[in-house]
Amino acid sequence: MRCKDANGHITYTLQGCIPGQSLELQNAHNPPPGSIPPSLKPMPESTSNGQRRTPIINVIGSKEPPCESTLSAEEKRRAIIRKQIRQGMTKAEVESSLGRPNRIIESNGQSRYLYQPATKRSRNGERSISVSFDEYGCTKGASPKRQRGKSGQ
């Protein structure tokens, strides 16, 4: 939908226009590249003093940038199956690999998942794992930590 207010400001939205704006439905036809010849860019509007005025476009909402990863989809699947955490994985991919964390620490828009073995003293050498995420929910890294125990026990 395209909403235009009395001052000529235009807003594109999926939710509808606010009172006092005119509504125009938009056709979002996006032909594949090369299927139609290129068109000329429209000229900006002129103001009363002869200067050209370029319309201002405000983007209200946008999709968060995806996690940048050098892994292919197949490599990510393989890492999840092997319970490995790689840089650039999402929170959902980490939880798919390791399950729900024992503890989540949030600080300054970033978070950290803590995974601990089922018992405090693990006989098979299980380690606790800390997975750090950036503000977009993408892994920055994972660090295994050896369980600390008192000597002689």
Side-chain angles (χ1 to χ4, degrees):
M1 289 178 237
R2 180 178 187 246
C3 304
K4 188 174 184 180
D5 68 10
N7 296 327
H9 295 107
I10 297 172
T11 304
Y12 293 93
T13 180
L14 294 173
Q15 282 78 32
C17 301
I18 61 173
Q21 291 183 332
S22 63
L23 168 69
E24 182 182 319
L25 295 177
Q26 296 290 298
N27 181 4
H29 176 67
N30 190 9
S35 63
I36 59 170
S39 61
L40 294 175
K41 202 174 188 183
M43 297 298 287
E45 299 173 17
S46 294
T47 61
S48 59
N49 61 4
Q51 294 179 342
R52 291 191 176 167
R53 187 181 96 210
T54 305
I56 297 172
I57 299 174
N58 293 324
V59 177
I60 304 300
S62 65
K63 193 173 185 179
E64 287 185 2
C67 296
E68 292 184 24
S69 176
T70 57
L71 300 174
S72 68
E74 183 180 336
E75 291 170 319
K76 274 190 183 182
R77 272 193 308 275
R78 200 175 302 132
I80 289 170
I81 291 168
R82 293 178 179 165
K83 298 191 180 300
Q84 297 172 337
I85 304 304
R86 301 286 177 87
Q87 188 169 355
M89 292 176 100
T90 64
K91 287 181 179 182
E93 290 166 337
V94 169
E95 287 187 25
S96 179
S97 177
L98 301 176
R100 300 278 299 154
N102 297 89
R103 191 167 161 210
I104 299 173
I105 299 171
E106 302 278 344
S107 176
N108 296 327
Q110 300 184 2
S111 56
R112 197 168 55 168
Y113 281 11
L114 298 176
Y115 292 90
Q116 296 163 338
T119 60
K120 282 192 176 181
R121 278 187 263 149
S122 176
R123 282 184 245 152
N124 60 359
E126 280 185 75
R127 305 179 205 182
S128 63
I129 298 172
S130 172
V131 183
S132 299
F133 297 93
D134 63 16
E135 61 272 14
Y136 300 110
C138 305
T139 54
K140 296 192 301 187
S143 61
K145 298 178 181 176
R146 292 219 178 265
Q147 290 295 311
R148 297 181 190 177
K150 294 179 183 175
S151 58
Q153 289 187 0

